[in-house]
Amino acid sequence: MSSLRTDDDTWDIATSVGSTAVMVAAARAGETERDDALIKDPYARILVAGAGTGVWEALLDSEFAAKVEDLDADAAAILTHMGNYQAVRTHFFDEYYRQAAEAGIRQIVILASGLDSRAYRLDWPAGTTVYEIDQPKVLEYKSATLREHGVQPVAQRREVPVDLRFDWPAALRDAGFDDSQPTAWLAEGLLMYLPADAQDRLFELVTELSAPGSRIAAETAGVTATDRREAMRERFKKFADQFNLGSALDIQDLIYDDPDRADVAEWLNAHGWQAEGVHALDEMSRLGRLVDLPDAHDRAAFSTFVTARRD
């Protein structure tokens, strides 16, 4: 279980779970600038640069990876893996939404949206509404920052500023959500920050709100061995000390490593959905982004990308 989380904790974009959104956006910014980029997010760098986390802004430095390589080759490989993983994950769920739009779905819900910029950067058909659910301060930061840079959403974007531990379905309906229409849901970078019972409850509520024809996509939470968690903690501290980054965020302490967590595809298949999954390592291999890590054989430590439909 997580040692830092409480039932009533909260955050802005620079603290706790909020700052993990900055980490993911930094990876998208780095990917966007590659010649062989899998995705393009022209807004990621803007969002990271103003976040004030210290640690993740450093990743915008094009020479940072080389500096880490000089310090610790294994750590550099992990950083490369992290960037590749985020690129592959983003690519997978971008394609999920492309297919949902092609199928005629015009109601989109992004759970714990963080610095997700899909409402701004994907080619949404006319009439699409994107609902973004997250902590109020996180949504405020994103919309204000992009507005200051003259960036406008492509789809109709509606913020739902509510903690997912509260009555978010009521807040979603108040924002205009219509549960009689098919919806394409996304739980990306979310489930690992929920205990097992909260994960089940989230999917129960999503199922209740999903009309026939709805779809859902989710990134599952991997199960990380204790020794690997400790090794990652030490590496983050080493980065912070070496590069004067202050107190490095220990992501492992934000995650609920819950042994009772349900298998997402199995849960969905048992509750009226038709689900299938693609293991992250397999998708990374398919796209030529797999890095040779010492513990890559431990498939349970890595996530699965699950997609499901409700007929």
Side-chain angles (χ1 to χ4, degrees), residues 147-167:
R147 187 168 55 249
E148 288 169 4
H149 286 80
V151 180
Q152 297 296 324
V154 177
Q156 183 175 31
R157 176 177 175 267
R158 295 185 181 176
E159 295 184 355
V160 186
V162 62
D163 192 305
L164 287 170
R165 290 167 293 191
F166 302 144
D167 189 2

Side-chain angles (χ1 to χ4, degrees), residues 89-94 97 110 115-124 130 132 154-155 186 188:
R89 183 180 84 170
T90 303
H91 179 272
F92 183 91
F93 292 124
D94 281 1
Y97 268 135
I110 304 175
L115 297 183
D116 187 305
S117 62
R118 290 185 173 95
Y120 298 85
R121 65 178 181 81
L122 294 188
D123 187 18
W124 296 106
V130 178
E132 297 187 9
V154 177
L186 178 61
E188 177 187 28

Side-chain angles (χ1 to χ4, degrees), residues 37-302:
L38 293 174
I39 58 102
K40 292 293 184 181
D41 186 346
Y43 313 119
R45 177 174 281 271
I46 294 170
L47 292 167
V48 174
T53 64
V55 177
W56 306 122
E57 283 92 325
L59 297 182
L60 298 179
D61 178 1
S62 60
E63 298 180 359
F64 184 74
K67 295 174 183 177
V68 175
E69 176 75 32
D70 291 339
L71 173 67
D72 184 338
D74 288 342
I78 292 173
L79 278 180
T80 299
H81 164 78
M82 289 171 61
N84 285 350
Y85 174 81
Q86 296 297 341
V88 169
R89 183 180 84 170
T90 303
H91 179 272
F92 183 91
F93 292 124
D94 281 1
E95 176 62 16
Y96 157 75
Y97 268 135
R98 187 194 67 77
Q99 293 181 12
E102 192 175 73
I105 297 177
R106 299 292 180 264
Q107 187 163 251
I108 308 301
V109 179
I110 304 175
L111 301 160
S113 59
L115 297 183
D116 187 305
S117 62
R118 290 185 173 95
Y120 298 85
R121 65 178 181 81
L122 294 188
D123 187 18
W124 296 106
T128 301
T129 301
V130 178
Y131 295 89
E132 297 187 9
I133 304 178
D134 211 318
Q135 295 268 357
K137 291 181 179 179
V138 173
L139 292 174
E140 289 170 8
Y141 169 77
K142 177 167 61 178
S143 59
T145 301
L146 293 179
R147 187 168 55 249
E148 288 169 4
H149 286 80
V151 180
Q152 297 296 324
V154 177
Q156 183 175 31
R157 176 177 175 267
R158 295 185 181 176
E159 295 184 355
V160 186
V162 62
D163 192 305
L164 287 170
R165 290 167 293 191
F166 302 144
D167 189 2
W168 62 266
L172 184 60
R173 288 191 176 101
D174 288 345
F177 176 83
D178 182 356
D179 61 13
S180 70
Q181 298 299 314
T183 304
W185 304 84
L186 178 61
E188 177 187 28
L190 167 60
L191 300 185
M192 66 282 290
Y193 303 116
L194 300 178
D197 58 347
Q199 175 179 301
D200 289 350
R201 182 56 179 159
L202 178 77
F203 286 126
E204 288 170 0
L205 292 171
V206 166
T207 300
E208 291 174 8
L209 292 168
S210 294
S214 292
R215 302 185 181 195
I216 186 168
E219 173 196 20
T220 69
V223 180
T224 307
T226 301
D227 57 349
R228 183 171 184 267
R229 290 166 68 97
E230 290 302 320
M232 292 295 291
R233 182 177 291 110
E234 288 301 314
R235 281 210 165 92
F236 273 110
K237 184 178 185 303
K238 190 175 183 180
F239 291 163
D241 292 344
Q242 181 71 17
F243 298 108
N244 299 315
L245 297 177
S247 178
L249 174 65
D250 192 343
I251 297 173
Q252 298 301 319
D253 275 342
L254 299 175
I255 294 172
Y256 285 95
D257 193 16
D258 198 325
D260 297 324
R261 188 182 300 275
D263 178 281
V264 174
E266 291 180 1
W267 192 99
L268 290 170
N269 281 325
H271 290 81
W273 299 82
Q274 293 77 50
E276 58 185 8
V278 176
H279 195 277
L281 295 181
D282 295 337
E283 187 69 358
M284 293 179 76
S285 178
R286 186 182 74 83
L287 294 174
R289 291 300 188 88
L290 192 61
V291 177
D292 185 16
L293 297 175
D295 54 358
H297 64 281
D298 184 9
R299 290 173 67 86
F302 298 89

